[in-house]
Amino acid sequence: MPAPDGTPTVTPNGTDPRLVAEAHALLRDVVGLDPTGIEATFRTWNAGRLDLLPTAEAPTQVPHLSAELLAAARLLPGPARTELHPEDAARFAVQVEQALYASTVILRASGRDAAGLLADEDLVRVLGEAQGSWRTVVAAAARAGVPTPCLATALASYDALRAGRPPAPLHFGTRTDGRTDGDGALPTPGAADRAEPSGA
């Protein structure tokens, strides 16, 4: 049973607590589950592939919002809540599990064993099968106004790996950028390029 404050006493195995919090928010605010339903969903997930993941370490730093900031934030407008049809809600809950699993795999691989990840054909296949649901979940969270920074960041990391490079930063100083289509460098417009002619 959930704790008196509604917090589940059962959470998905092997996942980052921040991802768990985002999954919990999606099941509550988008799917419309109560604490008992959320805990039952987590139990079902734990009986599947999440049970194969090793225990995740807790984050070293959890963002803290002051009482003053929380009070002021209540004035911010958000999207109207849309209630899902029961069949759509059940389907979305399955998609949240897929997004949670894929995000856990990617966040663990980023910066450590990305090469090993890409060499595992079975894992690549699983990520490929999950990516559609993953994108649906992140998009639905944005439409519903549910913050999911970890799920979205993991998806962006997946796309960066898939594309073979991260998005190129925009610089406004005089410098050159490396080419990806051959040798040499591409000039980046700088202050000198934008300066007006003297005497103008």
Side-chain angles (χ1 to χ4, degrees), residues 13 16 31 35 40 42 46 52 72-73 75 78-79 96 98 100 103 105 120 125 131 135 141 144 161 166 170 182 193:
N13 293 332
D16 187 303
V31 178
F42 285 169
N46 282 342
L52 302 177
L75 301 176
V96 173
Q98 292 177 313
L100 179 65
S103 295
V105 171
D120 189 328
R125 176 182 52 79
Q131 68 155 332
R135 297 181 194 284
L161 284 172
L170 297 179
D193 302 298

Side-chain angles (χ1 to χ4, degrees), residues 33-127:
L33 295 180
D34 61 15
T36 301
I38 293 173
E39 184 164 295
T41 299
F42 285 169
R43 288 183 185 278
T44 300
W45 291 356
N46 282 342
R49 58 185 172 181
L50 288 177
D51 188 47
L52 302 177
L53 292 171
T55 302
E57 297 180 359
T60 56
Q61 184 177 3
V62 178
H64 174 72
L65 300 178
S66 67
E68 293 81 4
L69 181 57
L70 287 174
R74 292 191 181 97
L75 301 176
L76 296 174
R81 173 133 183 209
T82 302
E83 185 172 345
L84 295 179
H85 185 276
E87 291 184 1
D88 293 331
R91 186 181 303 109
F92 187 74
V94 172
Q95 292 176 320
V96 173
E97 187 275 341
Q98 292 177 313
L100 179 65
Y101 182 84
S103 295
T104 299
V105 171
I106 288 295
L107 289 180
R108 291 192 177 190
S110 295
R112 293 190 298 175
D113 190 25
L117 168 70
L118 297 176
D120 189 328
E121 294 183 359
D122 289 336
L123 197 52
V124 169
R125 176 182 52 79
V126 169
L127 290 173

Side-chain angles (χ1 to χ4, degrees), residues 145-169:
V146 178
T148 55
C150 290
L151 290 171
T153 297
L155 179 57
S157 296
Y158 171 83
D159 281 335
L161 284 172
R162 183 183 55 79
R165 62 183 179 187

